Amino acid sequence: MHMIQALSGGFGENKNKKSNQVKMDKKNIIIVMVDAFRPKNLSLFGYHKETDKNIKKIAHENLLFRNFFSSSNATAPSLTSLFTGKFPEHSGIIHQFPYTSEKEIMKFTDGGSFWFPTLLQQKGYETIAVDWIGAWFEKGFTYYKEKNKEKEKSKRILNSPFVRRILLNLPSWAYALGKKMFKSRASPMFCTPKETMNLAMKKMKEAIGNEKPFFVFAHFWDTHFPFPTIKYKSKHEKNIDKVLKEIKDEKVRGYFKKRVTDIQMNSTEDMIDKYDKAIEEIDGQIGKLYNFLRKNKIWDDTVLIIMGDHGTNLIGHDIYFSSTGLFDDTIHVPVVMHLPGIGGKEIKGLAQNVDFVPTLFEYLKIENRIPEKIDGISMMPLIKNGEEIRDKVFSWDGLGHELKSVRTKKRKLILAADPECNLCKSRHHREKEEYNLEKDPGETNNIYTKGLGNELEKAFDGLETNKKQDVWEKPVKRTDYI
Amino acid sequence: MKKAKKKEDNKVKYGTISLPMPLIDKVKQRIKGTGMNSVSGFVGFVLRQVLSTPTKDSLLNKGQEKEIKERLKSLGYL
């Protein structure tokens, strides 16, 4: 299958522009991006706890993707792929902040100019992001904020070490009273799920008031370790010291120890429970959003995408509570999508985050063609007719030095030219790893045999070939947007 | 009545800016047949582009860099 395919199914080269001009269906678009979101902790994917009551309800009435993979295990490259439709190696952004190199940023800024939010802005959308990472992600958004900064400032002052020292020196009754008055948050730095959703809905209301279609990107960081906004009281017996003793790798042990110090949780079970609670709280907000869209009678005019930017390891593979490495835990993500007019179904074919741009181009008839060569493939044939669009998915490690993987439904190959992890400085992968996912879905038995050759290795050659041919050609400057 | 007031409150307020007439004429010529309805729409669009296009310095400005580093540290990246 040709990997570099901008569009499929009825959106070919447009020779007669005027007669073939399509009218864009300007439906609202909402992306609920849940950070470090893994299917394993959702009852939709067989988890024993129902953390996802509302997501499940929406999934049953709409599209549920069972085999969806992010092109990266880290936020910055993953979101760049989402908005460019390009794999990290092609967009330029391979590594997560703060490991994104100057060279990567230059490649991104000097490379192609296609950026999905900018296109929607040009098309008259109110483009709104509720997020904090900023940098190039602000591009194309009319509004890019996460909360009321002024309000936040006062909370930060209260949480500063100097003020806290003063507060701690007060008599206990005065401290208790002060604490009650200011009701300190779990974290002063991050928005709670409620704050994120409330701000997103406030901006949606404004767009509705202005009679403009909107594109809302709401990023929930609450599921990222140490789940900073979630209030949780430990209920399991202390086991951290035991876990630390069991970690064989000294560097992994050191990193985990550093991370669990000062988070006030007794055990790894507590950490998993807190992760589940974070999902539940976000799920509650998703239910609120669903009711909001119904109440405002815009459900049928809105595309809703609920997805993870990447997955996460909890305690598997000797990696603790981070998304480093390229095991499925870090790249397999849940995706639920509401496309008005298309009924509910489970999608079992492989798909990736780079595929959203061409899918929305086709579904909303945004333009006849995408202005640049991208890696994404429209998912519409998969959605409408169950036609497989990909036989392989590709991912890059945004937290390790130089690692990438290719995966079919049955097999997976991980290539680590330089496997050092930027976080713990250890190595989570060997130079080459291959897994038989049918027999070994947990990816525990490396079956790679040197010298036998490997079909999957050739898949990367295909990407290289395309790169040499036309993927990297300088895009033709378009002026017909304005 | 209340609903109408709320709708009114949510509307973005607009201001007026002055541009030389020859520039306005050039813009009018430029937007002909492009689907862009007005000079104001074009100017708004161009300004949004200029303000949102990252420059090397603006990608992570000092204030932002400090704040992002703080958060990245708390998330375990630093």
Side-chain angles (χ1 to χ4, degrees):
Chain A
M1 190 179 296
H2 199 273
M3 288 307 304
I4 312 299
Q5 180 185 340
L7 285 171
S8 59
F11 277 78
E13 186 78 32
N14 184 5
K15 283 172 188 163
N16 187 345
K17 208 174 172 190
K18 270 189 179 170
S19 62
N20 286 347
Q21 193 79 47
V22 288
K23 192 172 184 293
M24 185 182 172
D25 181 5
K26 289 187 180 176
K27 283 189 169 44
N28 304 309
I29 306 166
I30 302 171
I31 298 180
V32 173
M33 183 60 75
V34 184
D35 208 275
F37 197 30
R38 58 188 233 155
K40 273 185 182 172
N41 288 58
L42 301 180
S43 67
L44 257 178
F45 289 81
Y47 195 45
H48 65 280
K49 280 194 238 172
E50 196 186 41
T51 51
D52 52 348
K53 205 173 117 191
N54 294 294
I55 298 171
K56 195 156 75 176
K57 187 184 161 201
I58 298 170
H60 285 157
E61 295 164 2
N62 296 280
L63 302 167
L64 168 65
F65 291 78
R66 290 251 171 233
N67 290 301
F68 202 98
F69 290 83
S70 176
S71 60
S72 176
N73 58 347
T75 300
S78 170
L79 298 189
T80 308
S81 282
L82 177 73
F83 291 146
T84 57
K86 295 174 188 173
F87 288 134
E89 210 169 276
H90 296 167
S91 76
I93 305 298
I94 297 173
H95 293 98
Q96 167 70 345
F97 295 145
Y99 308 102
T100 324
S101 68
E102 183 87 5
K103 203 174 149 192
E104 286 175 49
I105 293 174
M106 293 312 285
K107 189 170 172 177
F108 172 69
T109 51
D110 294 347
S113 58
F114 177 75
W115 185 250
F116 193 56
T118 305
L119 175 77
L120 293 176
Q121 193 179 52
Q122 288 164 0
K123 295 287 178 187
Y125 275 69
E126 198 71 62
T127 49
I128 298 147
V130 184
D131 203 355
W132 56 267
I133 45 174
W136 58 90
F137 296 104
E138 291 191 25
K139 194 179 163 189
F141 286 104
T142 316
Y143 180 92
Y144 191 102
K145 263 185 197 168
E146 63 162 333
K147 60 189 148 184
N148 187 330
K149 289 280 171 192
E150 290 307 309
K151 205 173 148 192
E152 185 58 20
K153 254 185 203 170
S154 64
K155 281 180 179 165
R156 271 197 193 182
I157 292 165
L158 285 171
N159 279 285
S160 71
F162 176 69
V163 176
R164 285 184 75 84
R165 228 177 8 245
I166 294 171
L167 289 173
L168 286 167
N169 283 323
L170 293 172
S172 58
W173 63 267
Y175 178 73
L177 183 72
K179 212 177 159 191
K180 206 176 170 185
M181 274 171 70
F182 293 111
K183 208 179 177 186
S184 72
R185 306 154 49 99
S187 165
M189 266 188 275
F190 297 91
C191 267
T192 62
K194 190 179 170 187
E195 285 171 326
T196 303
M197 191 57 87
N198 282 353
L199 181 54
M201 293 198 308
K202 182 178 172 249
K203 300 310 288 181
M204 286 178 216
K205 274 185 200 165
E206 285 175 13
I208 295 167
N210 289 328
E211 292 170 3
K212 281 181 92 174
F214 58 77
F215 167 50
V216 169
F217 176 77
H219 194 165
F220 292 82
W221 286 84
D222 319 86
T223 30
H224 192 297
F225 189 84
F227 326 116
T229 63
I230 307 301
K231 285 182 182 166
Y232 176 85
K233 214 170 182 183
S234 288
K235 53 190 176 204
H236 296 276
E237 290 217 356
K238 203 164 178 150
N239 80 344
I240 300 289
D241 292 340
K242 188 173 165 265
V243 172
L244 283 168
K245 266 184 205 163
E246 282 167 5
I247 299 173
K248 289 174 206 140
D249 190 309
E250 199 183 317
K251 288 172 182 167
V252 174
R253 195 186 315 126
Y255 179 70
F256 184 52
K257 194 176 176 182
K258 192 175 123 193
R259 297 205 70 199
V260 293
T261 306
D262 210 30
I263 59 163
Q264 293 163 345
M265 275 190 276
N266 280 346
S267 65
T268 45
E269 284 84 4
D270 280 315
M271 293 174 207
I272 295 168
D273 281 355
K274 199 175 175 188
Y275 177 69
D276 292 341
K277 193 165 182 259
I279 296 174
E280 272 178 54
E281 287 195 22
I282 294 167
D283 179 77
Q285 296 304 317
I286 289 171
K288 201 165 90 181
L289 172 68
Y290 176 80
N291 292 336
F292 169 86
L293 297 174
R294 287 282 193 194
K295 197 180 155 198
N296 283 279
K297 297 187 172 57
I298 53 169
W299 174 252
D300 293 334
D301 299 314
T302 303
V303 172
L304 173 65
I305 299 163
I306 302 162
M307 66 183 294
D309 57 347
H310 54 79
T312 190
N313 300 289
L314 294 180
I315 51 173
H317 297 289
D318 219 19
I319 305 171
Y320 295 83
F321 300 94
S322 90
S323 66
T324 191
L326 286 170
F327 294 110
D328 272 6
D329 282 350
T330 68
I331 54 170
H332 184 207
V333 291
V335 172
V336 170
M337 181 156 60
H338 163 61
L339 288 181
I342 293 182
K345 62 174 96 165
E346 274 194 22
I347 310 283
K348 291 191 177 142
L350 292 168
Q352 295 211 255
N353 51 354
V354 290
D355 299 329
F356 274 115
V357 162
T359 304
L360 292 174
F361 254 73
E362 184 171 346
Y363 174 74
L364 298 173
K365 303 180 183 73
I366 295 176
E367 294 252 329
N368 289 320
R369 58 189 299 227
I370 298 168
E372 283 175 28
K373 292 272 184 182
I374 61 168
D375 297 303
I377 302 168
S378 172
M379 294 184 275
M380 290 314 289
L382 178 66
I383 292 167
K384 283 181 179 169
N385 313 316
E387 286 169 30
E388 299 270 343
I389 58 158
R390 294 183 171 277
D391 56 2
K392 299 174 197 76
V393 289
F394 296 84
S395 302
W396 281 256
D397 190 336
L399 299 167
H401 283 195
E402 200 182 331
L403 301 98
K404 56 189 177 183
S405 70
V406 55
R407 186 198 194 282
T408 65
K409 278 186 178 172
K410 295 177 180 173
R411 284 179 114 78
K412 180 167 170 185
L413 178 75
I414 300 169
L415 298 174
D418 181 352
E420 188 174 312
C421 171
N422 280 317
L423 305 181
C424 67
K425 313 297 174 204
S426 181
R427 293 163 178 221
H428 307 295
H429 291 290
R430 291 176 186 276
E431 190 188 342
K432 287 182 182 177
E433 291 177 12
E434 187 183 355
Y435 296 100
N436 180 336
L437 300 170
E438 285 181 309
K439 288 182 184 166
D440 177 26
E443 299 164 278
T444 53
N445 184 25
N446 179 10
I447 56 165
Y448 185 84
T449 313
K450 204 175 173 184
L452 286 182
N454 190 309
E455 271 300 307
L456 290 177
E457 275 178 85
K458 289 177 192 162
F460 283 108
D461 295 342
L463 281 181
E464 288 298 312
T465 310
N466 284 331
K467 188 167 126 185
K468 277 173 200 155
Q469 281 172 355
D470 54 7
V471 178
W472 293 102
E473 69 182 6
K474 192 98 181 156
V476 180
K477 197 177 174 188
R478 284 169 59 105
T479 53
D480 52 347
Y481 282 133
I482 45 173
Chain B
M1 186 68 186
K2 204 176 172 186
K3 211 172 179 181
K5 193 185 177 305
K6 211 171 180 185
K7 200 175 170 184
E8 194 62 34
D9 289 345
N10 285 334
K11 283 202 169 181
V12 171
K13 291 184 176 69
Y14 290 85
T16 312
I17 56 163
S18 304
L19 293 173
M21 275 314 288
L23 184 59
I24 291 175
D25 292 338
K26 271 186 188 172
V27 173
K28 278 180 184 167
Q29 285 299 316
R30 179 72 183 267
I31 64 177
K32 260 185 198 167
T34 62
M36 183 72 73
N37 296 328
S38 65
V39 174
S40 294
F42 179 82
V43 172
F45 166 73
V46 171
L47 287 175
R48 279 198 191 100
Q49 288 305 299
V50 172
L51 294 172
S52 65
T53 302
T55 62
K56 203 179 145 196
D57 290 337
S58 74
L59 274 174
L60 286 177
N61 66 49
K62 289 289 167 209
Q64 195 186 25
E65 194 177 344
K66 197 181 162 213
E67 195 176 319
I68 289 174
K69 272 185 180 170
E70 231 177 276
R71 295 188 195 220
L72 291 172
K73 195 177 172 190
S74 80
L75 295 173
Y77 293 106
L78 283 167

